Amino acid sequence: MMRSLYSGVAGLKTHQTKMDVIGNNIANVNTVGFKSSQVLFKDVLYQTTQSATGSTNGSGGSNAKQIGLGTGVATVAVTQTSGSAQTTNNPYDLMINGNSFFIVNRGGTNYFTKVGAFTTDDAGNLVTGSGDYVMGWQVDPDNPNEIKRDTVSALRPEAEENQTAAPELTSQAYMTGNIDATDPRLQTAEGVVTTVSIYDSLGYNYTVKFKITANGEDGKYDVEIDSIRDENNVDISDKYDIKFPGGTEQRSNTISFNPDTGAFEGAGGPVGNEKLLLEITPKTDANGEMLYGDVFRDMTANNPDDQIPGITVDFSNLTMFSESGECDVETHRGMDDDPSNGAGRTVGSLTDVTIDTQGRLYGVYDNGVSKLLGQIAVANFINPAGLEAIGGSLYKETRASGEFDSIGKDIASTGETMTQGVLEMSNVDLSQEFTDMIVTQRGFQANSRIITVSDTLIEELVNLKR
């Protein structure tokens, strides 16, 4: 009789535990990245009043007689299914489409979370709402387009060194359009003018003015560098020697067309040569010192001494047809088949940070540059349910979950992806929780009746003395 009392008490305790878990699940129904839990019961010790016996000569065997002593909590299992996605349009909000975890660091210790609600701090570090560092891999210093996968470290997408993108020297240009031999401007000293904007290695802008005039020979025209002016409209001829190939003062060269077909034939010499080099070299003073600096040579290259300072100009897109009696010639930076190649750029300011499905962070700059800034690493565990929740939507590794190797994984290697501007919501199923609540309530009531009835029986036993 006393056993039933204790069985009822055990039932009350376990059902109360289950109700506590259900209450926690419901309380976190709107908690980002929350994973619901489920309580599983088990039976507990048994009192054996008679052991099992085997058959003997003349009699059969009998089973053991055991009386159970109630129930207990077997485990509190975490449900690992993903929650629904909520769009936030915050560029630093991320959702992992899978079972991987973000790696964050607090006080030098790595923890793990499903909550991808990130932001940046005053130093440009990528952090959680609690200020924990988001961990990942840095850009390979020997190859700025690749990631160096080693021990994870704090990502700093908006650090001071990432606020600007380096300028790029203009090294290529090309002309397009048509030279009409009947255009009267070709016979004047002013000629047909076309301009192009270029950048030096420091990102300063200049305007190159070309002048095209008739050569005197059928199908031939002279292209002259009329001037190169800086951003203040000052001609830089007093500081630089400007020329097409030839003597120091030679700033003119010849382009040729087939007189019969109007097709381009060549530039600066033999038929078939399509390009000329606009050379820009600094003048020197009496002591041999440069007056302004060799800003039209890329001094960051491995072999700057082997580079010829200047801009390669391609004329092969020009034609010579008789059309409207007016030339239509334009000059562009870059290459005709790839306008961004060799076009040059001014210094860029960071305007946005984008994150692709692999967790790679790219800085977007107002000069058109997109620069790799790092990659968010993820952690995988053999048994994610074995992680220990420490609050704040964080988990730490345990022997049951498996160890973190301090390096992490590329999310692409797991077959999963990240989504930018989206957060994973709680995976709590309210319909299931309320159903479990009803079942738990009835179980609690039933166990309380065990105690009530057992008490009544004991009371009757006591009353026998009367």
Side-chain angles (χ1 to χ4, degrees), residues 162-461:
N162 294 329
Q163 290 298 318
T164 58
E168 183 180 312
L169 173 70
T170 299
S171 60
Q172 301 285 338
Y174 64 99
M175 285 191 184
T176 60
N178 181 67
I179 296 178
D180 192 325
T182 63
D183 190 334
R185 293 177 297 171
L186 294 170
Q187 308 300 325
T188 66
E190 291 75 16
V192 173
V193 173
T194 175
T195 63
V196 64
S197 175
I198 64 170
Y199 295 98
D200 66 14
S201 59
L202 301 178
Y204 291 106
N205 182 251
Y206 302 81
T207 300
V208 181
K209 179 180 178 182
F210 295 96
K211 181 173 65 174
I212 303 174
T213 57
N215 177 270
E217 293 185 42
D218 195 11
K220 292 185 182 294
Y221 299 89
D222 292 330
V223 179
E224 179 182 349
I225 310 301
D226 186 73
S227 66
I228 300 181
R229 296 181 176 274
D230 62 17
E231 293 175 329
N232 297 317
N233 200 31
V234 176
D235 196 323
I236 65 173
S237 298
D238 59 335
K239 299 173 182 177
Y240 289 89
D241 287 325
I242 302 167
K243 60 179 180 177
F244 275 159
T248 302
E249 302 302 325
Q250 183 182 344
R251 295 171 64 162
S252 178
N253 218 313
T254 304
I255 55 175
S256 304
F257 299 88
N258 186 311
D260 297 324
T261 65
F264 177 80
E265 286 190 338
V271 173
N273 185 20
E274 299 177 344
K275 301 177 182 180
L276 295 175
L277 181 66
L278 192 171
E279 297 181 22
I280 310 173
T281 54
K283 291 182 178 180
T284 57
D285 59 19
N287 298 320
E289 298 293 332
M290 291 186 295
L291 295 175
Y292 193 60
D294 202 356
V295 294
F296 291 96
R297 188 196 304 266
D298 187 0
M299 303 307 292
T300 62
N302 295 326
N303 56 342
D305 293 337
D306 294 336
Q307 298 181 48
I308 300 176
I311 302 170
T312 301
V313 184
D314 186 349
F315 297 91
S316 61
N317 292 287
L318 290 174
T319 57
M320 186 190 72
F321 299 125
S322 177
E323 294 182 344
S324 60
E326 185 175 336
C327 296
D328 180 19
V329 179
E330 293 183 350
T331 308
H332 312 270
R333 294 196 311 271
M335 302 181 70
D336 64 315
D337 58 347
D338 184 4
S340 65
N341 188 358
R345 294 182 176 91
T346 186
V347 177
S349 296
L350 183 66
T351 59
D352 192 15
V353 175
T354 64
I355 305 174
D356 67 11
T357 58
Q358 291 183 252
R360 291 179 175 241
L361 294 89
Y362 292 90
V364 180
Y365 298 84
D366 59 9
N367 65 348
V369 169
S370 178
K371 184 167 65 174
L372 182 62
L373 304 178
Q375 182 175 5
I376 298 172
V378 297
N380 282 103
F381 295 93
I382 297 175
N383 176 28
L387 292 168
E388 180 182 341
I390 63 171
S393 299
L394 297 180
Y395 299 88
K396 68 177 183 180
E397 61 183 308
T398 66
R399 294 182 63 182
S401 65
E403 294 185 354
F404 174 61
D405 61 4
S406 298
I407 297 176
K409 293 183 179 295
D410 183 338
I411 194 170
S413 68
T414 68
E416 301 170 352
T417 59
M418 290 186 194
T419 305
Q420 185 182 23
V422 174
L423 290 177
E424 179 184 352
M425 298 305 293
S426 169
N427 69 349
V428 173
D429 183 349
L430 279 179
S431 61
Q432 181 66 47
E433 297 302 327
F434 281 121
T435 301
D436 289 345
M437 185 186 297
I438 294 172
V439 173
T440 302
Q441 181 184 11
R442 294 307 182 191
F444 189 91
Q445 289 176 336
N447 279 273
S448 67
R449 294 296 180 269
I450 295 173
I451 297 173
T452 301
V453 173
S454 295
D455 177 61
T456 301
L457 293 176
I458 293 173
E459 183 180 4
E460 292 295 328
L461 179 62

Side-chain angles (χ1 to χ4, degrees), residues 17-94:
T17 299
K18 184 171 184 177
M19 190 63 208
D20 292 341
V21 172
I22 292 172
N24 183 61
N25 289 341
I26 296 175
N28 286 281
V29 68
N30 288 318
T31 301
V32 175
F34 179 78
K35 301 296 183 182
S36 63
S37 300
Q38 181 182 12
V39 177
L40 300 179
F41 293 168
K42 65 178 180 180
D43 54 0
V44 291
L45 294 173
Y46 285 85
Q47 180 179 0
T48 303
T49 59
Q50 178 180 314
S51 299
T53 62
S55 60
T56 59
N57 293 332
S59 65
S62 62
N63 297 328
K65 296 178 182 178
Q66 295 179 293
I67 301 173
L69 299 178
T71 184
V73 176
T75 184
V76 180
V78 179
T79 305
Q80 294 297 324
T81 56
S82 298
S84 59
Q86 178 178 350
T87 301
T88 65
N89 294 320
N90 183 338
Y92 287 123
D93 283 348
L94 296 172

